[in-house]
Amino acid sequence: MSKKLVIAYSGGLDTSYCAVSLSKAGYDVHAVSVNTGGFTQEEIKTIESNAYKMGVSTYKNIDAIASYYDKVIKYLIFGNVLKNNTYPLSVSAERIIQAIEIVQYAKSIDAKYIAHGSTGAGNDQVRFDMIFQTIAPEIEIITPIRDGSLSRQQEIDYLIENGIDMSWNKAKYSVNKGLWGTSVGGEETLTSEKPLPDSAYPSQLKHSDPEKVVLTFSKGELVALNGVENNPEVNIEVLNNLASAYAIGRDIHVGDTIVGIKGRVGFEAAAALIIIKAHHLLEKHTLTKWQLQHKDYMSNFYGMHLHEGQYLDPVMRDMEAFLQSSQDKVSGDVIVTLKPYHFSLEGIKSKHDLMNAKFGSYGEENKGWTADEAKGFIKIFGNQNKIYQQVNSES
């Protein structure tokens, strides 16, 4: 019987332990990592080199940046999704795409097993297992770290015993970089009161003079920066490089995990926060009040379902159809000023701007109705309140 196994390989301690132990257990291990942004070609080569040191048969890196944008990030922008009004779902969003790419690769090489290095204490175990079980229920999932409740030291000792004597010193801060943001975890985020120090964030302040940037949206998608057109995923990366030099986008997210405990994580997501806020401003000018109201709760549901690993439920496609439809008139320019540690939205230009002067100026001048029509409208508009108050004041 074939014991072909695909491992979701990051190159860290947990997945290195899994690769070595599973190879020793007789599995034909094929390592795969998924690039959803943040990897340089040099880093990918290092991961590949280390994978072969762990005894894997093959290593593959899948470039999923465009897929990540098209399947997930696009809808997070359409929905202005910020979990708990703070976090742009940087890591949880990319885990979904990574899981899909990994299990599809496993199917393509007819692997009978699939492994990942998640512990039993986090969100990723849920996301990975749910995607794997749904797409390929015939593939057995193996999770050595979770099943063995292994400590970090136990993993290091095992690797050294098996001739893998690499530097496994735990970095003071755990950093996960992707296209839609970078998470930062450390001893401070394990508390409820301590902030992350400035030095913990990968991007440091380099520029202090304000800089204007024009974001051009077409049907809700970021199609140009300062008049230079490119694919949205490229524009995200370019904007992030510009804005991270101002140390923009830092915050700490406190949220409810899938497994029922609260968690705290630092992050920097300069491009994500600027794009979401700029897009939302453009929507406030181009959508009706009822579109805006219904989008708010629909987007909240979409973000929560994505976070909880429910990406493959058909309701997600239903919500995506709604979000896509809502973007038909969300086109135009948004002017943003970058400043140290923050940014400001200056305004928008759009042919779909509903704040059109020919219909009147709020609080100043009306051009679409007379004074008598306004008084009649107000009288009828207040009818229900008047009836309720008069009926109940008599009882």
Side-chain angles (χ1 to χ4, degrees):
M1 176 184 172
S2 169
K3 295 192 74 174
K4 184 180 283 188
L5 176 146
V6 164
I7 182 171
Y9 185 75
S10 68
L13 175 61
D14 292 335
T15 56
S16 295
Y17 172 88
C18 292
V20 173
S21 63
L22 292 169
S23 294
K24 295 286 185 184
Y27 291 95
D28 177 20
V29 179
H30 298 261
V32 59
S33 55
V34 181
N35 183 6
T36 47
F39 284 107
T40 65
Q41 287 304 309
E42 197 171 301
E43 288 168 335
I44 292 170
K45 287 179 181 177
T46 299
I47 293 170
E48 179 177 16
S49 174
N50 288 340
Y52 285 115
K53 291 177 185 176
M54 304 304 151
V56 306
S57 298
T58 64
Y59 170 81
K60 182 177 180 62
N61 181 274
I62 299 172
D63 186 339
I65 296 174
S67 173
Y68 180 29
Y69 169 78
D70 197 55
K71 291 180 178 177
V72 177
I73 292 177
K74 178 170 68 176
Y75 299 104
L76 296 179
I77 296 171
F78 291 171
N80 309 309
V81 175
L82 291 172
K83 192 168 189 291
N84 291 2
N85 296 314
T86 304
Y87 181 50
L89 293 180
S90 305
V91 176
S92 45
E94 69 182 18
R95 289 291 185 262
I96 299 299
I97 295 302
Q98 289 166 350
I100 291 171
E101 293 287 349
I102 289 164
V103 72
Q104 287 177 340
Y105 176 69
K107 289 181 71 173
S108 75
I109 65 169
D110 197 28
K112 304 299 181 186
Y113 307 90
I114 193 165
H116 61 87
S118 298
T119 69
N123 289 326
D124 287 344
Q125 59 173 333
V126 181
R127 296 174 182 133
F128 279 125
D129 281 15
M130 285 181 63
I131 295 291
F132 296 162
Q133 291 171 3
T134 303
I135 294 179
E138 73 282 3
I139 296 179
E140 183 180 340
I141 301 169
I142 299 176
T143 54
I145 310 299
R146 177 173 62 185
D147 294 347
S149 299
L150 298 175
S151 70
R152 185 177 180 84
Q153 192 57 52
Q154 285 176 304
E155 295 174 52
I156 292 172
D157 291 344
Y158 177 85
L159 289 171
I160 291 173
E161 287 169 11
N162 285 275
I164 311 294
D165 191 3
M166 298 173 66
S167 174
W168 299 114
N169 295 329
K170 187 172 183 180
K172 188 172 182 181
Y173 295 99
S174 172
V175 177
N176 187 98
K177 186 177 181 182
L179 181 65
W180 203 229
T182 300
S183 67
V184 184
E187 61 180 21
E188 294 87 357
T189 56
L190 298 176
T191 73
S192 296
E193 75 278 5
K194 293 180 182 177
L196 283 168
D198 182 79
S199 59
Y201 293 95
S203 298
Q204 296 294 303
L205 181 65
K206 296 177 182 176
H207 297 159
S208 56
D209 293 334
E211 179 179 353
K212 284 195 186 299
V213 181
V214 178
L215 282 65
T216 301
F217 291 89
S218 176
K219 295 185 182 295
E221 297 194 64
L222 181 62
V223 295
L225 283 174
N226 291 329
V228 179
E229 296 184 3
N230 219 320
N231 293 331
E233 62 270 24
V234 175
N235 290 328
I236 292 169
E237 191 173 355
V238 171
L239 177 60
N240 199 66
N241 290 336
L242 279 173
S244 61
Y246 287 89
I248 289 170
R250 298 176 175 184
D251 206 343
I252 291 182
H253 167 59
V254 181
D256 295 288
T257 64
I258 304 172
V259 294
I261 58 177
K262 289 200 182 277
R264 192 167 180 253
V265 66
F267 67 91
E268 61 170 44
L273 292 179
I274 291 170
I275 292 167
I276 285 172
K277 294 298 183 181
H279 174 266
H280 193 202
L281 177 62
L282 185 59
E283 282 193 328
K284 287 190 281 188
H285 280 264
T286 57
L287 299 185
T288 68
K289 67 178 178 181
W290 301 123
Q291 284 180 299
L292 289 167
Q293 182 187 46
H294 290 291
K295 269 192 80 259
D296 276 351
Y297 67 75
M298 189 72 77
S299 300
N300 188 43
F301 276 121
Y302 185 83
M304 179 57 77
H305 281 64
L306 185 70
H307 175 270
E308 304 289 298
Q310 299 288 346
Y311 179 79
L312 293 178
D313 192 292
V315 74
M316 297 294 279
R317 309 292 82 78
D318 299 334
M319 287 189 278
E320 287 166 358
F322 171 86
L323 292 170
Q324 182 84 57
S325 174
S326 73
Q327 299 302 293
D328 189 53
K329 299 295 187 290
V330 186
S331 298
D333 293 337
V334 183
I335 302 94
V336 179
T337 299
L338 309 179
K339 306 170 186 178
Y341 303 106
H342 71 293
F343 63 93
S344 58
L345 304 175
E346 308 298 343
I348 71 106
K349 294 179 181 177
S350 172
K351 66 179 182 180
H352 302 293
D353 189 356
L354 300 179
M355 197 174 143
N356 193 309
K358 77 177 185 180
F359 298 106
S361 300
Y362 176 67
E364 298 288 336
E365 178 185 18
N366 72 72
K367 298 178 181 178
W369 57 88
T370 66
D372 285 341
E373 287 169 337
K375 288 186 280 188
F377 162 75
I378 295 164
K379 187 173 184 179
I380 295 171
F381 188 67
N383 248 346
Q384 189 167 85
N385 278 338
K386 287 185 287 186
I387 294 169
Y388 175 87
Q389 294 296 334
Q390 288 173 22
V391 167
N392 288 290
S393 64
E394 295 170 359
S395 58

